[in-house]
């Protein structure tokens, strides 16, 4: 009820969804320890959407946030990409795990 999930308009993988809080939140830099339950729910929703769309290998998933100033919008959104093993060259750079611009 408090989260929305939809397909990314420029997918970086065969399955690329954004999980977004319905209530406005800034970017991931504004997250604090009290937001841990929210982020966990966002990840749970991402996994559930993948499973509903017939993707079951949850070990081949990349989830994360773009770190400012590398965000295109200033509303918290979790990228859910799968299969991570099929990310193209550019997507592997843009969504690289724990890079300076994308935190998982």
């Amino acid at each position: 009820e408090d989260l929305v999930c939809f397909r990314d308009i420029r997918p970086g993988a065969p399955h690329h969804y954004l999980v977004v809080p319905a209530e406005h939140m800034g970017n991931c830099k504004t997250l604090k320890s009290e937001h841990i339950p929210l982020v966990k729910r966002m990840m749970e929703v991402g996994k559930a959407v993948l499973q509903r769309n017939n993707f079951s290998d949850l070990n081949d998933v990349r989830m994360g946030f773009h770190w400012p100033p590398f965000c295109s919008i200033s509303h918290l959104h979790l990228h859910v990409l799968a299969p991570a093993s099929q990310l193209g060259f550019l997507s592997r750079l843009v969504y690289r795990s724990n890079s300076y611009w994308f935190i998982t």
Side-chain angles (χ1 to χ4, degrees):
E1 296 130 21
D2 59 340
L3 298 173
V4 178
C5 184
F6 50 89
R7 288 187 181 274
D8 193 292
I9 60 171
R10 283 177 267 153
H15 295 273
H16 188 168
Y17 305 100
L18 300 175
V19 180
V20 182
E23 184 178 315
H24 178 71
M25 287 191 71
N27 56 47
C28 61
K29 213 172 193 179
T30 64
L31 292 173
K32 297 185 176 18
S33 60
E34 62 261 22
H35 295 115
I36 291 172
L38 170 66
V39 173
K40 286 182 177 180
R41 279 196 328 274
M42 292 172 79
M43 293 174 67
E44 289 168 7
V45 166
K47 289 176 185 177
V49 168
L50 287 171
Q51 290 174 321
R52 272 188 248 134
N53 285 282
N54 301 315
F55 185 81
S56 58
D57 185 3
L58 297 180
N59 293 316
D60 195 14
V61 175
R62 180 152 314 148
M63 294 189 200
F65 302 98
H66 279 112
W67 192 254
F70 304 101
C71 303
S72 57
I73 61 168
S74 61
H75 187 98
L76 185 69
H77 59 286
L78 175 72
H79 288 267
V80 179
L81 299 112
S85 60
Q86 291 184 24
L87 291 172
F89 176 75
L90 187 56
S91 292
R92 280 193 310 253
L93 292 174
V94 173
Y95 303 104
R96 193 171 92 203
S97 292
N98 296 318
S99 60
Y100 180 72
W101 53 87
F102 189 73
I103 56 172
T104 53

